[in-house]
Amino acid sequence: MNISNQTKMALAALLLGVGALSFGSIFVRLSEAEISPNATVFNRLWLASLIFGLWNGYKAISGQFSPDKTVEQQSYTSQDFSLLLGAGTCWAATLVLLAWSLTQTSVAISSVLHNLAPIFTSLGAWLLFRHGFKSEFLLGMAIALGGTITIEFEELQIATDEVRGSFAAIVSAIFLGAYLLIVERLRTKFSPEIIQLWICAIAAVVILPILLFAQDRIFPCSVNGWLWVICQAAICQVLGHGLLTYSLAKFSSVVVSLVHLLEPVFSAIFAFFIFSEELSFFNLMGFAVVLIGLYLAISSQVAAKPRFQESVNTIFVKALLKI
């Protein structure tokens, strides 16, 4: 497979991963009748770690019976363990703070502030790795962020300003940016399933004491309750974050955090079909603005690859025409 095809596959995985993540808020809404958002997150993580563990075990066993016997033994250094611990802790903090912010302020304010993650990811990439950005990329990022604000414009007009919830959402964006930067570093050595196995297991261990302290119900009490948390683990964490982690081998964490801005777009579209929630003019205009901003940002990063830029043009132009 040549470089262009690899990059196209990474872009397809990234878009599919963000689409899978967009079901997260829907599954939380369906499961909140039985357990708290933090309990939903905990079940999502430990179930996902179980799935990733079984998958890695299957690969190891099948590799032992492979004719060529070329099973790579993964070695870990103290730096690897530190990065894995940092990624798991950051991911747990992101989910817990975001869930708590939703109880303290409006969904609109929490979503907009949480979507500031690309700013913090870009700042981290510049401070840690001295990664410079083209003016077209910065312009595209600003337009895409503006689009996410436009999507929530009507809700923001009637939202009440709760400082604690707003602050928690901003901090969750900082932790999300740090999480993506660390996973990008880990991706140079480890496979997506290995990284997600460690992250999910560590994050679940971090969140469990919070549930015990709050005396929340930990597990669902009905078949439907288990169905929603299993769907969230399989679709949002295993498929969604598994594909995002895969794409980090080809795209920087900054680009991935920008494409992550499509999550509210997909969520609104899915909610329209599942819950019959109406899409306003500002929603549709915001969708178009986000796509334009992402096109400018991503195409500026791959301008040296004309064939890939052509594929980016096709994907985003078709999406705009559908809107």
Side-chain angles (χ1 to χ4, degrees):
M1 180 183 295
N2 58 41
I3 295 177
S4 178
N5 287 336
Q6 289 178 350
T7 310
K8 290 177 183 178
M9 182 175 291
L11 177 61
L14 180 54
L15 293 174
L16 180 59
V18 173
L21 289 174
S22 304
F23 285 97
S25 58
I26 295 174
F27 291 140
V28 169
R29 180 182 297 186
L30 291 170
S31 63
E32 65 185 1
E34 296 186 13
I35 54 178
S36 66
N38 281 337
T40 301
V41 170
F42 170 75
N43 283 282
R44 160 182 171 168
L45 291 170
W46 80 260
L47 285 169
S49 64
L50 177 62
I51 295 172
F52 280 119
L54 291 173
W55 175 249
N56 282 299
Y58 167 76
K59 286 181 62 179
I61 294 174
S62 61
Q64 293 293 334
F65 294 96
S66 177
D68 52 12
K69 298 288 185 180
T70 57
V71 179
E72 182 181 356
Q73 297 296 325
Q74 196 73 67
S75 61
Y76 294 87
T77 65
S78 58
Q79 184 183 40
D80 295 333
F81 284 119
S82 298
L83 290 173
L84 289 167
L85 179 61
T89 303
C90 285
W91 184 228
T94 299
L95 296 175
V96 169
L97 286 168
L98 182 59
W100 186 74
S101 73
L102 290 171
T103 67
Q104 301 296 313
T105 189
S106 68
V107 174
I109 290 177
S110 180
S111 298
V112 168
L113 295 178
H114 180 70
N115 280 328
L116 296 177
I119 296 177
F120 300 112
T121 310
S122 302
L123 181 61
W126 178 69
L127 290 174
L128 297 175
F129 310 125
R130 296 300 176 186
H131 187 182
F133 301 98
K134 295 181 179 180
S135 58
E136 293 87 350
F137 178 86
L138 298 176
L139 176 61
M141 180 173 68
I143 292 174
L145 288 169
T148 61
I149 296 174
T150 304
I151 293 172
E152 306 288 350
F153 181 75
E154 291 178 314
E155 288 78 6
L156 287 171
Q157 288 183 310
I158 61 175
T160 57
D161 184 18
E162 296 290 344
V163 176
R164 290 181 301 177
S166 300
F167 179 75
I170 293 174
V171 178
S172 75
I174 295 174
F175 276 111
L176 177 59
Y179 163 81
L180 291 173
L181 287 167
I182 296 173
V183 173
E184 180 185 4
R185 182 71 178 271
L186 288 167
R187 192 66 182 90
T188 61
K189 180 176 180 180
F190 298 104
S191 65
E193 55 269 20
I194 289 290
I195 295 173
Q196 282 300 314
L197 169 61
W198 281 96
I199 287 176
C200 292
I202 292 171
V205 171
V206 171
I207 292 177
L208 180 59
I210 299 174
L211 291 177
L212 297 176
F213 178 78
Q215 297 183 338
D216 289 343
R217 178 193 294 274
I218 298 179
F219 302 110
C221 56
S222 71
V223 174
N224 281 340
W226 277 108
L227 175 63
W228 302 133
V229 296
I230 291 173
C231 286
Q232 187 163 177
I235 296 175
C236 300
Q237 192 66 44
V238 175
L239 180 62
H241 272 275
L243 290 174
L244 256 66
T245 304
Y246 169 82
S247 68
L248 280 167
K250 200 64 186 176
F251 297 119
S252 71
S253 54
V254 180
V255 171
V256 171
S257 67
L258 266 178
V259 178
H260 201 275
L261 293 177
L262 285 174
E263 184 179 345
V265 176
F266 291 144
S267 295
I269 295 173
F270 295 150
F272 171 77
F273 289 105
I274 297 174
F275 300 116
S276 299
E277 294 186 0
E278 295 184 0
L279 294 176
S280 67
F281 168 76
F282 287 106
N283 294 145
L284 297 175
M285 186 172 66
F287 297 165
V289 172
V290 169
L291 288 171
I292 291 171
L294 291 177
Y295 165 73
L296 290 174
I298 296 176
S299 61
S300 71
Q301 295 294 293
V302 294
K305 301 174 182 177
R307 291 180 60 191
F308 176 62
Q309 188 170 8
E310 182 180 352
S311 68
V312 172
N313 292 348
T314 303
I315 291 171
F316 283 99
V317 169
K318 285 183 177 179
L320 284 171
L321 289 176
K322 289 181 180 179
I323 293 178

